[in-house]
């Protein structure tokens, strides 16, 4: 919401255009789609102070969390896409220097992070929004199922919280929210009438507002489904015992 205010009420779009023009850009650009806040990952321990249920001693024992330095020196291997990996790797190098032992596992086509978590190949992974997470990591009705239940390492619950990564952290390191911009060649843009330009910008602004509202409105329902799915479900410790 703050970025929307900056772009449309504080001349942010013109500022971005001015930067393009100063670099001899040949295009006109403006946002056309926006989505809600994204997250940065599911991890075995909380990075900041976790939101704990009353009486959850294990959660409360983490206090204010391990912090970014704790993540950088955790020795975990996490599945990350290139851009957030680059951002996080550089931040860790700056913060802890040679103490940085965080490892990254590149995404593998056709292999769900959930399965890698169940097989103990990784200890955490990035995430996007509750809607994406519900579809990708809580495939309750998946057919065929994501997990191979014949593998003794799999608990087959389709539930990432049960295999260690119970703490979600937000916002995302590299992309706290999404704005997609349309680029139009200046030669084409300048060939349009003033009325046509205004109509295009009006439609683009309406699309940004509507897409942001639509994606935001879907998140709570998806989060509610994930919470309900976890209700009265035991979690697994790293040694396989239940809690």
């Amino acid at each position: 919401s703050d970025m929307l205010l900056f772009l449309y009420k504080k001349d942010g779009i013109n500022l971005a255009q001015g930067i393009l023009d100063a670099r001899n850009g040949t295009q006109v650009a403006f946002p056309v789609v926006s989505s809600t806040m994204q997250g940065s990952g599911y991890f075995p321990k909380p990075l900041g102070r976790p939101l704990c249920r009353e009486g959850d001693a294990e959660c409360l024992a983490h206090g204010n969390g391990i912090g970014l330095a704790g993540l950088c020196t955790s020795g975990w291997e996490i599945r990350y896409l290139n851009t957030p990996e680059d951002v996080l790797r550089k931040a860790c190098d700056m913060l802890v220097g040679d103490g940085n032992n965080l490892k990254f596992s590149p995404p593998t086509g056709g292999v769900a992070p959930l399965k890698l978590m169940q097989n103990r190949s990784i200890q955490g992974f990035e995430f996007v929004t509750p809607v994406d997470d519900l579809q990708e990591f809580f495939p309750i009705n998946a057919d065929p199922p994501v997990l191979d239940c014949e593998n003794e390492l799999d608990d087959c619950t389709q539930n990432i919280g049960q295999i260690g990564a119970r703490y979600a952290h937000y916002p995302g390191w590299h992309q706290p929210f999404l704005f997609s911009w349309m680029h139009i060649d200046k030669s084409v843009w300048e060939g349009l009438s003033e009325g046509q330009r205004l109509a295009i910008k009006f439609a683009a602004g309406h699309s940004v507002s509507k897409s942001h509202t639509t994606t935001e409105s879907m998140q709570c329902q998806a989060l509610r489904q994930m919470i309900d799915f976890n209700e009265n479900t035991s979690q697994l410790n790293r040694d396989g015992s239940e809690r």
Side-chain angles (χ1 to χ4, degrees):
S1 298
D2 289 340
M3 179 57 74
L4 287 172
L5 178 64
F6 166 70
L7 288 173
Y8 291 98
K9 300 296 184 181
K10 301 296 183 179
D11 217 27
I13 294 177
N14 287 334
L15 175 62
Q17 185 63 52
I19 294 173
L20 292 176
D21 293 343
R23 298 185 176 186
N24 299 316
T26 61
Q27 297 178 329
V28 173
F30 43 83
V32 292
V33 173
S34 171
S35 75
T36 189
M37 178 178 69
Q38 301 189 19
S40 55
Y42 288 100
F43 305 108
K45 296 180 180 180
L47 305 188
R49 177 178 287 274
L51 300 176
C52 303
R53 288 177 177 269
E54 184 177 356
D56 188 342
E58 190 273 342
C59 178
L60 292 168
H62 287 297
N64 290 326
I66 63 174
L68 180 58
L71 174 64
C72 297
T73 57
S74 65
W76 296 337
E77 183 166 348
I78 57 179
R79 195 220 76 148
Y80 255 46
L81 297 175
N82 290 338
T83 301
E85 176 187 335
D86 290 343
V87 173
L88 187 52
R89 187 189 298 276
K90 291 177 181 178
C92 285
D93 286 342
M94 293 172 63
L95 187 61
V96 300
D98 292 339
N100 178 14
N101 61 2
L102 189 63
K103 306 178 188 67
F104 295 94
S105 175
T108 303
V111 179
L114 177 62
K115 189 170 183 62
L116 296 175
M117 285 293 301
Q118 295 278 3
N119 290 338
R120 311 299 196 266
S121 299
I122 59 176
Q123 287 72 56
F125 55 92
E126 63 180 303
F127 76 111
V128 188
T129 66
V131 167
D132 297 286
D133 300 344
L134 180 64
Q135 294 173 346
E136 295 291 331
F137 311 137
F138 287 77
I140 304 169
N141 300 314
D143 185 21
V146 171
L147 300 181
D148 176 10
C149 292
E150 295 180 358
N151 184 337
E152 62 180 13
L153 289 176
D154 293 337
D155 58 31
C156 294
T157 64
Q158 313 282 11
N159 182 338
I160 56 171
Q162 290 191 333
I163 36 85
R166 68 176 298 204
Y167 297 100
H169 185 78
Y170 62 90
W173 315 117
H174 69 300
Q175 190 166 282
F177 45 80
L178 170 69
F179 278 97
S180 294
W181 293 59
M182 177 180 287
H183 291 248
I184 301 176
D185 285 344
K186 283 185 177 179
S187 59
V188 175
W189 183 252
E190 292 169 356
L192 301 175
S193 67
E194 184 65 22
Q196 289 173 320
R197 296 179 192 174
L198 289 175
I200 292 173
K201 287 188 173 182
F202 177 83
H206 178 72
S207 176
V208 168
S209 177
K210 184 176 181 180
S211 59
H212 181 272
T213 301
T214 300
T215 56
E216 187 77 12
S217 68
M218 298 167 62
Q219 306 307 321
C220 288
Q221 181 181 359
L223 186 58
R224 179 75 264 172
Q225 291 183 53
M226 288 193 285
I227 292 173
D228 290 344
F229 181 56
N230 281 311
E231 193 68 27
N232 298 320
T233 301
S234 297
Q235 290 188 321
L236 295 183
N237 294 310
R238 301 303 295 177
D239 62 2
S241 60
E242 289 190 353
R243 66 165 181 266

